C-alpha cells in the first residue's frame, strides 16, 4: 500500500443560516477526487458491459462515456455520498456543536463550472437553550424492588456471563461480533485510489446475514488482518432497489473486535464509572428490577428528563415534529404488528406525542453535551455496542440512531451516525452519575 501526504481541501463545508430554524450545508468535493473516481468507474464499465457489436477488449471509451453518462454520474455521486460526504457532515455537525434536530436532508447535488460536485443539505436547527446549573438539581431516582430474588438473578447473570466471555476467543472474529475496520478505495492496479482517504466503519457479523459475501469474508480474521474486496456492504442511498454496485475495490484492515454475544465486565465498569463489585451489582439491578413493566433504568431516565425539562422549558417547532413523525412511522412499518397499531383510535396522537418527546430530550441532551464539552472516542463506541449483546443490557441504551436498527442490520455503520447516538448516551450517563453521587 502506498502512503501519501493528505491533500488539503478535498472536502469543504460551508454552513449558511437561512432562518432561526434552518441552516443549509454545502459540501464541495474537489475535482481531483472526482476525476479519479470517474476514471475508475469508466474502466469498470469497459470491462463489465457487453454492447452488441463489441467485445470487452475493443469498446471505445468514447462509446462508454456517451451511452452510460447518466449511470456513471449517478454512481460517482452515490460513491461520494456513501463513503465521504454524509459521514463528514455528521462529524462536522458534532465538531462545530451545531444544534441539529432530525437527520440532515439532502436537497440537491450540483456540478459547478470547476467540475466540483456540491452536495446541499437542509439542517433543521434548534434554538439555543439557556442551560441552568443542573448539577445542583435535587434528583431522587426511583428505587429498586426489594425482592431478594433479583439479587440472586444478578449474581447468576454475572457469574455465567463472565465465565462465557473468558472462554470466548477475544482476538478472532466470530458470528455476532462487532467489527471495526478501515476501508481504503483502490484503483484497478490495487493501489490507493485517493491520497490518504480512508474511512472507519462498524459492522455486526450477524448470523442472520452470514452468507453475505462481506460478512463471511470477515469471519476468523484477527486485528491487523487485511484483505481486498468489492463487496463492501454500505446502504445505497440513491438506488430504488437498494442494490450495491461492485465496481469499486477496497483495502480492508481490521482495527478492532468487539465481542457480540457476552457481557464484558471491564467495558461495563468503564462505561458507568463503577469502582467496585457492589456498584456493578447495583447498576445491573436497574435492568432486573421492574415496576409496571418498566425497568428501574427506564424509570430513572424518565424521572431525570422530567426534572431537566421542567427546569428548561422550550417549545419544539411544529415542522420538526412532523418530520420526526415521518421517521417513526417509517420505522414502525417494518414492525410485524404495524397494521394492528395503525387501527388504534389514538395511534397518530401517540406518534405525535412520542415525536415531540424524543425531540425535546435530544435537543436538551445535545446542548448539555456541548456545554459540558463531552467528547466521544473509539472506546465509547465499543462500550455502547457491547450493550446490544444481551436483551437485559439493551435496557441501558436509551438513544439509538433514528433510522438504523443497528443490532439487526446487514449494512455497515458510518462512524458519524454512531457518534451522535453515543455522545447522547455518554452525556446521559454523565448526568445520572453526577446527580446520583
Amino acid at each position: 500500500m502506498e502512503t501519501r501526504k493528505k491533500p488539503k481541501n478535498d472536502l469543504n463545508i460551508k454552513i449558511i443560516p437561512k432562518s432561526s430554524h434552518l441552516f443549509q450545508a454545502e459540501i464541495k468535493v474537489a475535482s481531483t477526487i472526482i476525476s479519479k473516481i470517474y476514471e475508475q468507474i469508466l474502466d469498470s464499465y469497459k470491462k463489465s458491459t457487453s454492447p452488441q457489436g463489441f467485445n470487452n477488449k475493443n469498446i471505445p471509451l468514447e462509446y462508454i462515456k456517451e451511452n452510460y453518462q447518466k449511470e456513471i454520474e449517478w454512481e460517482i455521486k452515490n460513491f461520494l455520498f456513501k463513503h465521504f460526504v454524509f459521514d463528514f457532515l455528521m462529524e462536522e455537525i458534532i465538531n462545530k456543536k451545531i444544534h441539529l434536530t432530525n437527520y440532515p436532508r439532502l436537497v440537491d447535488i450540483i456540478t459547478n463550472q470547476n467540475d466540483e460536485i456540491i452536495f446541499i443539505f437542509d439542517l433543521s436547527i434548534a434554538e439555543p437553550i439557556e442551560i441552568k446549573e443542573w448539577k445542583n438539581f435535587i434528583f431522587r431516582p426511583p428505587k429498586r424492588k426489594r425482592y431478594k430474588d433479583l439479587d440472586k438473578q444478578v449474581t447468576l447473570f454475572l457469574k455465567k456471563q463472565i465465565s462465557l466471555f473468558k472462554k470466548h476467543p477475544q482476538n478472532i472474529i466470530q458470528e455476532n461480533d462487532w467489527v471495526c475496520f478501515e476501508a481504503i478505495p483502490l484503483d484497478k492496479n490495487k493501489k490507493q485510489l485517493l491520497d490518504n482517504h480512508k474511512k472507519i466503519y462498524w459492522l455486526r457479523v450477524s448470523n442472520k446475514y452470514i452468507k453475505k459475501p462481506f460478512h463471511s469474508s470477515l469471519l476468523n480474521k484477527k486485528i491487523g488482518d487485511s484483505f481486498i474486496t468489492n463487496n463492501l456492504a454500505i446502504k445505497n442511498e440513491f438506488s430504488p432497489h437498494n442494490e450495491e454496485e461492485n465496481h469499486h475495490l477496497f483495502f480492508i484492515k481490521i482495527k478492532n473486535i468487539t465481542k457480540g454475544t457476552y457481557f464484558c465486565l471491564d467495558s461495563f465498569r468503564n462505561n458507568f464509572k463503577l469502582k467496585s463489585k457492589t456498584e456493578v451489582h447495583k447498576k445491573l439491578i436497574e435492568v432486573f428490577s421492574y415496576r409496571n413493566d418498566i425497568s428501574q433504568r427506564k424509570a430513572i431516565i424518565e424521572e431525570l428528563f422530567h426534572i431537566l425539562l421542567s427546569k428548561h422549558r422550550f417549545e419544539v417547532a411544529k415542522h420538526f415534529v412532523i418530520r420526526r413523525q415521518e421517521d417513526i412511522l417509517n420505522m414502525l412499518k417494518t414492525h410485524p404488528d404495524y397494521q394492528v397499531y395503525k387501527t388504534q383510535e389514538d395511534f397518530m396522537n401517540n406518534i405525535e406525542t412520542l415525536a415531540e418527546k424524543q425531540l425535546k430530550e435530544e435537543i436538551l441532551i445535545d446542548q448539555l453535551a456541548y456545554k459540558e464539552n463531552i467528547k466521544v472516542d473509539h472506546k465509547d463506541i465499543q462500550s455502547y455496542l457491547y450493550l446490544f449483546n444481551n436483551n437485559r443490557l439493551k435496557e441501558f441504551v436509551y438513544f439509538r440512531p433514528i433510522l438504523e436498527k443497528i443490532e439487526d442490520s446487514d449494512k455497515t455503520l458510518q462512524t458519524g451516525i454512531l457518534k451522535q447516538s453515543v455522545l447522547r448516551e455518554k452525556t446521559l450517563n454523565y448526568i445520572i452519575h453526577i446527580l446520583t453521587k
Side-chain angles (χ1 to χ4, degrees), residues 130 132 137 306-313:
E130 183 184 349
K132 306 292 178 63
F137 292 171
H306 174 74
I307 291 170
L308 290 175
L309 290 168
S310 68
K311 302 290 186 180
H312 301 90
R313 294 190 177 275

Side-chain angles (χ1 to χ4, degrees), residues 165 170 177-181 200-202 223 255-260 262-264 266-268 270-272 376-389 393 397 406 415 418-419 422-423 426:
F165 189 84
Q170 301 300 302
D177 288 350
W178 296 94
V179 183
C180 175
F181 61 91
I200 301 295
Y201 298 102
W202 295 80
I223 294 173
K255 305 293 289 184
N256 206 284
I257 302 167
T258 301
K259 303 310 292 183
Y262 303 114
F263 176 76
C264 177
D266 288 342
S267 172
F268 188 76
N270 291 334
N271 194 30
F272 293 104
V376 167
D377 59 22
H378 177 83
K379 287 187 177 179
D380 293 318
I381 295 175
Q382 255 194 306
S383 295
Y384 178 80
L385 294 175
Y386 266 126
L387 295 175
F388 288 92
N389 289 359
L393 298 176
V397 182
I406 65 175
T415 307
L418 267 178
K419 272 189 174 180
V422 175
L423 178 62
K426 186 175 181 178

Side-chain angles (χ1 to χ4, degrees), residues 144-145 147-163 263 265 268 274 276-290 296 390 392-393 396:
R144 57 160 287 186
K145 283 196 168 183
Y147 301 145
K148 289 183 179 180
D149 184 55
L150 294 178
D151 295 288
K152 291 179 182 178
Q153 288 179 40
V154 170
T155 300
L156 288 171
F157 173 84
L158 270 171
K159 185 177 180 181
K160 180 182 178 181
Q161 292 293 321
I162 290 171
S163 173
F263 176 76
L265 179 59
F268 188 76
L274 307 173
S276 66
K277 290 181 180 180
T278 302
E279 289 182 354
V280 170
H281 184 95
K282 184 179 177 182
K283 179 57 66 175
L284 282 170
I285 283 288
E286 291 180 12
V287 295
F288 278 80
S289 178
Y290 277 74
Q296 185 196 7
N390 179 280
R392 289 281 189 187
L393 298 176
F396 283 111

Side-chain angles (χ1 to χ4, degrees), residues 57-233:
K57 292 183 179 180
N58 65 9
I59 304 173
L61 283 178
E62 290 304 318
Y63 179 90
I64 300 290
K65 290 177 183 178
E66 183 177 343
N67 288 275
Y68 294 92
Q69 181 183 351
K70 288 185 179 179
E71 291 85 350
I72 292 171
E73 286 179 359
W74 168 84
E75 196 164 317
I76 290 170
K77 292 172 182 177
N78 188 55
F79 181 86
L80 290 170
F81 185 92
K82 289 192 301 181
H83 298 290
F84 298 102
V85 171
F86 192 74
D87 203 45
F88 173 73
L89 174 60
M90 293 302 294
E91 292 268 7
E92 286 294 298
I93 284 168
I94 293 172
N95 292 339
K96 295 179 185 298
K97 298 184 176 182
I98 294 170
H99 302 155
L100 184 72
T101 68
N102 296 312
Y103 278 154
R105 176 170 278 177
L106 180 66
V107 293
D108 202 2
I109 308 173
I110 61 175
T111 304
N112 66 16
Q113 60 187 10
N114 298 320
D115 292 326
E116 299 163 320
I117 293 179
I118 302 171
F119 291 78
I120 301 172
F121 296 85
D122 278 347
L123 308 180
S124 299
I125 304 298
E127 293 181 2
I129 300 167
E130 183 184 349
I131 301 296
K132 306 292 178 63
E133 291 297 327
W134 63 269
K135 292 177 185 177
N136 297 325
F137 292 171
I138 296 172
F139 177 58
R140 296 184 178 88
K143 301 294 184 183
R144 57 160 287 186
K145 283 196 168 183
R146 301 311 304 176
Y147 301 145
K148 289 183 179 180
D149 184 55
L150 294 178
D151 295 288
K152 291 179 182 178
Q153 288 179 40
V154 170
T155 300
L156 288 171
F157 173 84
L158 270 171
K159 185 177 180 181
K160 180 182 178 181
Q161 292 293 321
I162 290 171
S163 173
L164 289 169
F165 189 84
K166 286 179 179 178
K167 291 177 183 177
H168 227 52
Q170 301 300 302
N171 61 341
I172 299 175
I173 299 171
Q174 298 175 302
E175 291 183 23
N176 288 322
D177 288 350
W178 296 94
V179 183
C180 175
F181 61 91
E182 180 181 86
I184 301 175
L186 303 178
D187 63 19
K188 61 183 178 181
N189 299 315
K190 299 184 180 178
K191 301 294 184 182
Q192 191 168 323
L193 176 66
L194 305 170
D195 292 330
N196 205 31
H197 275 280
K198 53 191 177 184
K199 298 298 292 183
I200 301 295
Y201 298 102
W202 295 80
L203 175 70
R204 190 168 203 178
V205 188
S206 169
N207 56 12
K208 184 177 177 181
Y209 306 109
I210 205 65
K211 291 183 179 179
K212 287 183 174 285
F214 189 65
H215 285 249
S216 59
S217 65
L218 290 169
L219 281 177
N220 300 315
K221 296 288 192 302
K222 298 179 181 178
I223 294 173
D225 283 356
S226 60
F227 61 96
I228 292 173
T229 183
N230 66 342
N231 284 300
L232 188 57

